[in-house]
Amino acid sequence: MELIDTHCHLTFEELAGDIEAIIERSRVAGVTGWITVGTDTQQNRKVIELAERHENMYAAIGIHPHDAKNVTAGTITELKKLAQNEKVVAIGETGLDFHYDFSPRQDQRRAFAQQLKIATELGLPVIIHCREAFDETMEILERFGRGVKSAVFHCFSGSADQAKIVLDHGFYISFTGVVTFKNAEGVREAAKIVPLAKLMLETDCPYMSPEPMRRQKINEPALMLHTAKCLAELKEMDLADFAEVVTATSKAFFGLPEK
Ligand SMILES: [Zn+2]
Ligand SMILES: [Zn+2]
């Protein structure tokens, strides 16, 4: 089996110090590819450097909505320059987070639109972080994202109705361990309507450990196996068959080599 963790933060300090052992445990669990995601300029440099040192590891670079308040013209210029590295396969994570509001909303909107522009110019897909800002995220995508190659709503925790809107726009949906949580019946209902050609898996580690490992405070790619099992069951499929299709979807979305 060959699964891809399409959204992990392997350069965050909870994971970075033990990275080789974490990658080995991931391989043993069948999670053999990784998209490691940057959230600010410093992390963007780190994810590229880590991906350059590992086979089957790729980088996504962007400015997280939490960090949008620090974005200057220089930030955007550097992001665009870094994005031309051959290991960079997506722009993100970017989007809106009106739950925490760590950055003023106007800064979040501006940084999101700027990153959609870069993704369009470079022909890269976009990883979207959307928390308690669904309608406005869709609005900004409609205004500034018409030319983007594609987009994925990561760590999807919305309803089936919202999933349908995302799918109607031709976008993708990615699930974390949240789908395994006992109180996440709504997310499982959403997962049921997402066709496998639009569905991807991720850990968002070091956060979001899946059941039955939710007590493990620091999540890691190996644990994505539990999320994969949960979703395969929802789809009434063998795990191996489910993994094969979802991995093909992920490779197509990020433009990764077939083999
Ligand atoms: Zn996120
Ligand atoms: Zn993330």
Side-chain angles (χ1 to χ4, degrees):
M1 198 173 57
E2 187 200 349
L3 288 162
I4 299 174
D5 183 348
T6 65
H7 188 118
C8 47
H9 297 289
L10 300 179
T11 55
F12 281 13
E13 60 179 3
E14 294 91 331
L15 301 169
D18 198 23
I19 193 66
E20 298 309 326
I22 286 167
I23 288 170
E24 186 50 33
R25 287 198 290 276
S26 180
R27 284 208 177 95
V28 169
V31 182
T32 57
W34 310 269
I35 313 288
T36 188
V37 178
T39 49
D40 61 25
T41 300
Q42 194 195 7
Q43 287 293 334
N44 290 337
R45 291 189 195 125
K46 286 185 183 175
V47 293
I48 292 172
E49 198 242 333
L50 189 69
E52 279 177 331
R53 286 193 284 114
H54 293 90
E55 208 183 330
N56 290 332
M57 189 185 292
Y58 299 88
I61 61 169
I63 309 296
H64 195 284
H66 290 347
D67 211 60
K69 60 180 175 295
N70 300 318
V71 170
T72 63
T75 315
I76 297 300
T77 309
E78 170 149 18
L79 182 66
K80 192 170 174 188
K81 201 169 113 206
L82 289 174
Q84 288 164 58
N85 184 291
E86 61 175 15
K87 277 278 185 165
V88 173
V89 294
I91 295 296
E93 56 187 294
T94 178
L96 303 175
D97 193 316
F98 294 172
H99 176 74
Y100 287 108
D101 277 327
F102 285 160
S103 288
R105 293 184 178 181
Q106 200 45 40
D107 292 348
Q108 297 188 39
R109 295 181 185 106
R110 186 184 314 114
F112 184 22
Q114 284 170 319
Q115 291 176 79
L116 289 172
K117 183 163 175 263
I118 292 176
T120 304
E121 285 168 6
L122 299 180
L124 290 170
V126 183
I127 298 175
I128 291 170
H129 173 108
C130 168
R131 189 136 185 223
E132 289 175 26
F134 184 77
D135 293 345
E136 199 165 335
T137 299
M138 294 308 306
E139 256 173 60
I140 292 179
L141 276 165
E142 279 172 10
R143 271 184 69 196
F144 300 99
R146 289 205 175 269
V148 296
K149 190 174 169 226
S150 194
V152 59
F153 277 64
H154 107 90
C155 194
F156 190 80
S157 51
S159 64
D161 286 345
Q162 289 175 337
K164 192 174 176 307
I165 293 169
V166 172
L167 294 168
D168 284 346
H169 282 75
F171 298 142
Y172 290 63
I173 293 179
S174 172
F175 292 97
T176 58
V178 167
V179 76
T180 69
F181 294 175
K182 287 183 180 63
N183 61 358
E185 199 49 50
V187 181
R188 284 187 287 279
E189 288 305 313
K192 281 183 191 162
I193 70 154
V194 182
L196 296 188
K198 294 287 180 185
L199 188 152
M200 297 194 276
L201 302 174
E202 61 170 298
T203 54
D204 203 14
C205 62
Y207 317 118
M208 304 290 173
S209 295
E211 292 288 5
M213 304 299 288
R214 201 172 169 185
R215 285 210 195 102
Q216 178 170 322
K217 279 280 168 273
I218 299 177
N219 191 12
E220 61 178 67
L223 300 188
M224 202 181 78
L225 191 56
H226 301 289
T227 306
K229 281 180 181 163
C230 169
L231 282 161
E233 228 169 82
L234 272 181
K235 297 289 189 188
E236 299 176 355
M237 286 177 80
D238 276 352
L239 178 61
D241 295 341
F242 172 80
E244 195 180 322
V245 184
V246 167
T247 297
T249 299
S250 308
K251 286 182 175 178
F253 179 84
F254 290 104
L256 308 184
E258 292 288 318
K259 278 283 158 197

